[in-house]
C-alpha cells in the first residue's frame, strides 16, 4: 500500500500531470480524448500522451476505446484511496495528528430548509438559464435556484427566452451574471453546483464554501447551432428536453435518505443516463 501511495503521489507531484488530473476530475463522468485534453491545457500531443501514460500506469485514470479514439476519465476509487491513505492510514490512529474518522464519514443533507442550487455555463445566456428556470418551476418550493456564467454575455439569448415563455415559464427575472457574484462573503452558500457546459467545467474555480455537491451535466451549446431558424430552434428544444429530463431525475432523488457519497454517485449517473429529448409542451 505504501509503495502504491508514494508512486501515485509522485505522479501527481508534477504540476502539469496534476493539472490534467484536475481537469478529468472536473469533467467527470465525461471521458475526454487526448486531443481535447491537449487543447484545454495547451499541451503538445506528445506531452499529453506521456502524462496520460504516467497517470494510467499509476492507476489514477482509466482508458477506454471509442471507435478509433481512446478516451480517458478519472478512476474515482483510486482517487479516494489516495485521500484515505494520506489522512487516515498515515496518522496511525493519532487524534492529535488527524481528525477522527467520523469527520470523513458522509452526512445526509438537511432538507428542513430550501437548498441552494447553482447552474454554471460560459455565457449564462441559454443552457444555465434554461436549467435555472426548469428547476425553479418544477421544485421551487424545495430549492432556491440560481445561474451564472464564467464569461457572461450582456444579454440573454432571444431564442432561449422566447422558447421558455412559449412553454409558460416566467422569464422576467432572468439575467446574465458572473459566477463571481456567488463567491463573495455575503453570497448564499450553495448545496449543489452544476456545470452545464464543458468550457465552464474545464476552468479551475476557487473551492466553494460549504463544500457543495457538484455535478457536470455538460451538453452542446444550442447558441452555436447553424442552419434555418427552425433548425436553430430545434437545438434549443433538444437542450430544454435534456435538461428537463435531468431536473426530473434530480428532484426525484430522496435527498434526506442518501449520504453524500451515494448522492454524488446518483448525480453522476443522471449525467450518464438522461438523454437529449424534445419537449414541446
Amino acid at each position: 500500500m505504501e509503495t502504491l501511495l508514494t508512486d501515485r503521489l509522485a505522479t501527481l507531484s508534477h504540476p502539469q500531470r496534476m493539472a490534467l488530473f484536475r481537469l478529468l476530475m472536473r469533467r467527470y463522468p465525461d471521458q475526454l480524448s487526448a486531443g481535447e485534453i491537449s487543447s484545454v491545457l495547451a499541451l503538445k500531443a506528445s506531452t499529453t500522451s506521456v502524462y496520460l501514460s504516467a497517470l494510467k500506469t499509476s492507476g489514477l485514470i482509466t482508458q477506454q476505446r471509442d471507435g478509433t479514439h481512446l478516451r480517458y476519465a478519472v478512476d474515482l476509487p483510486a482517487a479516494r484511496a489516495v485521500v484515505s491513505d494520506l489522512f487516515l492510514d498515515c496518522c496511525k490512529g493519532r487524534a492529535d495528528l488527524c481528525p477522527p474518522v467520523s469527520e470523513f464519514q458522509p452526512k445526509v443533507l438537511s432538507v428542513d430548509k430550501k437548498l441552494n442550487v447553482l447552474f454554471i455555463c460560459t455565457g449564462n445566456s441559454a443552457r444555465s438559464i434554461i436549467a435555472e428556470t426548469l428547476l425553479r418551476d418544477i421544485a421551487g418550493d424545495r430549492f432556491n435556484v440560481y445561474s451564472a456564467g464564467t464569461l457572461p454575455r450582456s444579454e440573454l439569448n432571444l431564442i432561449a427566452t422566447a422558447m421558455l415563455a412559449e412553454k409558460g415559464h416566467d422569464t422576467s427575472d432572468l439575467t446574465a451574471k458572473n459566477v463571481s457574484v456567488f463567491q463573495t462573503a455575503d453570497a448564499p452558500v450553495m448545496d449543489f453546483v452544476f456545470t452545464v457546459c464543458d468550457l465552464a467545467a474545464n476552468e479551475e474555480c476557487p473551492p466553494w464554501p460549504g463544500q457543495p455537491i457538484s455535478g457536470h451535466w455538460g451538453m452542446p451549446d444550442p447558441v452555436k447551432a447553424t442552419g434555418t431558424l427552425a433548425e436553430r430552434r430545434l437545438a434549443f428544444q433538444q437542450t430544454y428536453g435534456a435538461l428537463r429530463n435531468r431536473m426530473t431525475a434530480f428532484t426525484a432523488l430522496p435527498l434526506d435518505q442518501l449520504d453524500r457519497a451515494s448522492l454524488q454517485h446518483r448525480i453522476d449517473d443522471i449525467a450518464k443516463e438522461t438523454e437529449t429529448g424534445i419537449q414541446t409542451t
Side-chain angles (χ1 to χ4, degrees):
M1 179 185 299
E2 183 175 348
T3 300
L4 180 59
L5 175 61
T6 54
D7 286 347
R8 286 174 170 173
L9 290 176
T11 300
L12 293 174
S13 67
H14 188 284
Q16 289 181 310
R17 286 198 294 263
M18 185 62 175
L20 197 161
F21 183 78
R22 284 173 173 160
L23 171 63
L24 292 178
M25 184 66 79
R26 293 193 299 275
R27 287 288 300 274
Y28 187 84
D30 287 359
Q31 295 178 318
L32 276 61
S33 68
E36 183 175 1
I37 293 169
S38 296
S39 176
V40 172
L41 298 179
L43 297 173
K44 295 181 179 178
S46 58
T47 302
T48 300
S49 179
V50 171
Y51 293 161
L52 286 169
S53 178
L55 289 166
K56 183 174 179 295
T57 299
S58 296
L60 291 166
I61 65 174
T62 62
Q63 173 185 288
Q64 184 172 336
R65 181 169 292 280
D66 180 15
T68 59
H69 299 281
L70 294 175
R71 296 191 176 276
Y72 301 88
V74 164
D75 187 317
L76 286 183
R80 284 195 293 268
V82 171
V83 175
S84 175
D85 290 347
L86 272 176
F87 287 94
L88 300 179
D89 294 344
C90 293
C91 295
K92 305 301 182 185
R94 289 188 51 167
D96 58 330
L97 295 179
C98 293
V101 174
S102 60
E103 292 193 19
F104 293 95
Q105 297 301 315
K107 296 179 175 63
V108 175
L109 284 176
S110 171
V111 293
D112 294 335
K113 61 179 181 65
K114 293 176 72 171
L115 301 176
N116 296 325
V117 182
L118 176 64
F119 294 100
I120 301 174
C121 68
T122 306
N124 193 207
S125 69
R127 286 166 291 183
S128 56
I129 288 291
I130 295 171
E132 175 188 357
T133 301
L134 279 166
L135 184 57
R136 180 196 65 202
D137 287 0
I138 291 173
D141 59 327
R142 298 167 53 200
F143 301 100
N144 297 311
V145 193
Y146 311 91
S147 70
T150 55
L151 293 171
R153 300 178 186 273
S154 58
E155 297 181 354
L156 302 183
N157 182 274
L158 294 179
I159 298 179
T161 54
M163 177 194 67
L164 289 171
E166 289 169 1
K167 294 179 182 296
H169 300 289
D170 181 6
T171 63
S172 59
D173 292 335
L174 297 176
T175 60
K177 301 168 291 298
N178 193 291
V179 70
S180 60
V181 170
F182 298 99
Q183 294 173 323
T184 62
D186 57 349
V189 176
M190 294 300 156
D191 297 289
F192 296 91
V193 176
F194 297 101
T195 50
V196 291
C197 82
D198 294 343
L199 289 178
N202 289 342
E203 298 181 18
E204 289 203 48
C205 293
W208 289 94
Q211 296 183 320
I213 293 174
S214 62
H216 176 54
W217 290 350
M219 59 184 59
D221 186 359
V223 175
K224 295 182 179 180
T226 59
T228 65
L229 180 58
E231 291 170 331
R232 291 162 57 203
R233 284 177 173 170
L234 178 60
F236 283 85
Q237 293 280 358
Q238 291 173 327
T239 300
Y240 180 93
L243 285 170
R244 186 176 182 87
N245 289 342
R246 291 177 179 181
M247 299 309 147
T248 301
F250 173 63
T251 55
L253 294 175
L255 301 181
D256 58 341
Q257 300 174 28
L258 296 171
D259 61 47
R260 291 179 63 91
S262 299
L263 181 54
Q264 184 68 67
H265 290 317
R266 296 286 287 273
I267 286 173
D268 291 339
D269 287 342
I270 288 174
K272 292 182 283 190
E273 293 173 358
T274 52
E275 298 180 356
T276 298
I278 299 177
Q279 290 282 339
T280 57
T281 61

